[in-house]
Amino acid sequence: MGGDHGFQVVVLSGPSGSGKTTIVERLIQDAPVKLIKSVSATTRAPRKGEVEGEAYYFLSAEEFAARQERGEFLETAEVFGAGYWYGTLKSELERAKTQGGWSFLEIDVQGALRIMEQYPEAITIFLEPPSLEVCEQRLRARGTETEEVIQRRLRKVTEELQQADRYRYRVVNDELDQALAEIRGILKERKAGS
Ligand code: 5GP
């Protein structure tokens, strides 16, 4: 009936250093279904090269709170316990529907759990790093964070790994092409079933 037929929400989570960013970029370029990446709102400052409206909608704490108050978010989370907020705007799902694709959310575990409550059919994928050591190496190689931030993120990695079994699918990012193939396979299967 409605234009929602076949619409799906895809959620991908993975700890910092799980190699998520590369996977997401490659997936958006080439997937068995049209994926529209949800642009999250955040109160953290833009990193070098991050473009407003592409990487995130960068909001002041006041603006974020005001939108939260108005019920504009599907979920929000204070991701690293450092006072920075992140959230998925309801309008992002609408945008995906309008563009005729599936909404693709790259969000943390807390956010993913909230999405599962609201969209039990969501395709939830947890990207696991091959090991904690690899995570740490990848985080350091990025060279954008202070030692304190790296330590905080590593603690979060350990916490998040414990939640991996809440996701419908788990993919180990040992080898990039292999992990991508697995995720594409999941999407293909779900597309056939929808
Ligand atoms: P960044 O490195 O960009 O500061 O932070 C990324 C972290 O925030 C990742 O763990 C990512 O999954 C999470 N994140 C990004 N956007 C959202 C969002 O809208 N909601 C939630 N819950 N987490 C988000």
Side-chain angles (χ1 to χ4, degrees), residues 59 62-74 89-90:
L59 305 180
E62 293 72 29
E63 177 67 14
F64 194 99
R67 289 191 180 208
Q68 198 162 15
E69 191 83 351
R70 293 200 293 267
E72 292 182 22
F73 286 107
L74 210 52
L89 291 157
K90 291 177 184 168

Side-chain angles (χ1 to χ4, degrees), residues 2 4 19 23 31 35 42 52 64 94 108 116 120 130 138 145 173 184:
D4 284 6
I23 293 265
L35 298 176
T42 183
E52 160 69 24
F64 194 99
E94 291 312 313
D108 87 328
M116 290 172 201
R138 287 177 182 162
E145 271 91 19
N173 187 15
R184 289 189 178 121

Side-chain angles (χ1 to χ4, degrees), residues 45-116:
R47 290 195 194 112
K48 198 163 173 283
E50 284 183 335
V51 176
E52 160 69 24
E54 285 181 20
Y56 285 101
Y57 301 112
F58 294 99
L59 305 180
S60 66
E62 293 72 29
E63 177 67 14
F64 194 99
R67 289 191 180 208
Q68 198 162 15
E69 191 83 351
R70 293 200 293 267
E72 292 182 22
F73 286 107
L74 210 52
E75 60 80 33
T76 58
E78 190 201 355
V79 173
F80 298 109
Y84 296 124
W85 284 81
Y86 294 78
T88 306
L89 291 157
K90 291 177 184 168
S91 55
E92 285 300 294
L93 264 65
E94 291 312 313
R95 188 167 65 83
K97 282 181 199 167
T98 306
Q99 295 182 10
W102 290 4
S103 189
F104 184 88
L105 278 54
E106 190 253 285
I107 60 175
D108 87 328
V109 172
Q110 305 169 67
L113 297 177
R114 295 274 297 116
I115 299 294
M116 290 172 201

Side-chain angles (χ1 to χ4, degrees), residues 29-174:
Q29 281 165 14
D30 179 17
V33 279
K34 185 173 169 187
L35 298 176
I36 311 290
K37 191 175 185 304
S38 160
V39 178
S40 295
T42 183
T43 63
R44 82 149 164 77
R47 290 195 194 112
K48 198 163 173 283
E50 284 183 335
V51 176
E52 160 69 24
E54 285 181 20
Y56 285 101
Y57 301 112
F58 294 99
L59 305 180
S60 66
E62 293 72 29
E63 177 67 14
F64 194 99
R67 289 191 180 208
Q68 198 162 15
E69 191 83 351
R70 293 200 293 267
E72 292 182 22
F73 286 107
L74 210 52
E75 60 80 33
T76 58
E78 190 201 355
V79 173
F80 298 109
Y84 296 124
W85 284 81
Y86 294 78
T88 306
L89 291 157
K90 291 177 184 168
S91 55
E92 285 300 294
L93 264 65
E94 291 312 313
R95 188 167 65 83
K97 282 181 199 167
T98 306
Q99 295 182 10
W102 290 4
S103 189
F104 184 88
L105 278 54
E106 190 253 285
I107 60 175
D108 87 328
V109 172
Q110 305 169 67
L113 297 177
R114 295 274 297 116
I115 299 294
M116 290 172 201
E117 287 163 18
Q118 299 173 68
Y119 292 90
E121 291 306 308
I123 302 166
T124 56
I125 304 168
F126 190 90
L127 193 66
E128 284 186 44
S131 72
L132 208 54
E133 288 69 31
V134 169
C135 264
E136 183 164 359
Q137 279 164 18
R138 287 177 182 162
L139 266 176
R140 291 191 188 282
R142 196 150 77 187
T144 49
E145 271 91 19
T146 62
E147 183 59 27
E148 189 198 335
V149 170
I150 290 175
Q151 290 305 327
R152 198 188 305 133
R153 289 188 177 214
L154 282 173
R155 281 198 294 278
K156 189 174 158 66
V157 172
T158 313
E159 269 171 43
E160 291 205 330
L161 287 173
Q162 290 162 3
Q163 309 262 22
D165 61 358
R166 309 280 291 269
Y167 288 69
R168 205 178 284 258
Y169 305 94
R170 280 179 301 280
V171 172
V172 178
N173 187 15
D174 194 356

